[in-house]
Amino acid sequence: MTYDFELKMKVRDYECDLQGIVNNANYQHYTEHCRHEFLLSHDISFSAMHEQGIDAVVARITIDYKVPLRSGDEFAVRLRLERDGIKYVFFQDIYRLADEKLVAKARVDTVCMLNGRLMKSCPELDAKLQDILSR
């Protein structure tokens, strides 16, 4: 898969559970942080959008876990964005950098709301992500 963005991170001790592996909920945090950094890299601010009454929200997320990360592991979250109707779909793969092993695969479906009502499209996102969404 060709990716639109990559964010490198390192596992912190407190993210691990009793078995010494990253707790499953933290993978969702990793993907969320990557999405936010991706949007910031395209000059898209959640707080500025919210002030206009626009909120991008997760409608659905699925994660397939392949191999666990452990404390100190360096990893990359790689992201590809596509449009599917009213949804902005983020395909996000997490790789352990030491051996490029696939750790987890996520699909995150997001939609935009205007003052609490579902929007068919978000012109602010579409304009700033035009180069990616038009391919």
Side-chain angles (χ1 to χ4, degrees):
M1 177 183 294
T2 303
Y3 297 99
D4 299 314
F5 186 77
E6 175 180 277
L7 181 65
K8 293 180 181 174
M9 293 185 265
K10 185 175 182 177
V11 175
R12 296 161 289 211
D13 291 339
Y14 68 84
E15 296 169 328
C16 297
D17 57 22
L18 188 60
Q19 294 113 349
I21 59 176
V22 170
N23 180 276
N24 64 304
N26 285 307
Y27 294 92
Q28 189 167 344
H29 293 288
Y30 299 155
T31 60
E32 181 177 21
H33 184 57
C34 181
R35 288 191 308 279
H36 285 210
E37 291 296 320
F38 166 73
L39 294 173
L40 286 171
S41 76
H42 287 275
D43 197 32
I44 298 169
S45 164
F46 276 136
S47 59
M49 287 175 52
H50 179 73
E51 289 173 9
Q52 299 170 18
I54 300 169
D55 293 300
V57 297
V58 172
R60 180 180 184 165
I61 184 168
T62 57
I63 301 175
D64 296 326
Y65 301 97
K66 304 297 184 180
V67 299
L69 288 171
R70 298 182 182 280
S71 182
D73 280 348
E74 294 180 342
F75 62 96
V77 182
R78 298 176 182 151
L79 173 154
R80 179 175 174 82
L81 176 62
E82 293 182 9
R83 190 75 189 270
D84 182 14
I86 66 170
K87 295 181 287 190
Y88 298 87
V89 181
F90 293 87
F91 296 94
Q92 295 182 259
D93 297 333
I94 301 174
Y95 288 88
R96 186 172 51 213
L97 291 176
D99 56 5
E100 282 298 312
K101 190 83 162 177
L102 179 62
V103 172
K105 293 182 73 60
R107 175 185 165 132
V108 184
D109 295 346
T110 63
V111 294
C112 287
M113 311 282 283
L114 176 61
N115 298 320
R117 300 186 79 136
L118 188 61
M119 299 172 71
K120 291 185 180 185
S121 177
C122 182
E124 289 76 5
L125 290 180
D126 292 344
K128 292 185 177 181
L129 299 171
Q130 177 180 2
D131 57 326
I132 293 171
L133 294 172
S134 64
R135 59 178 150 77

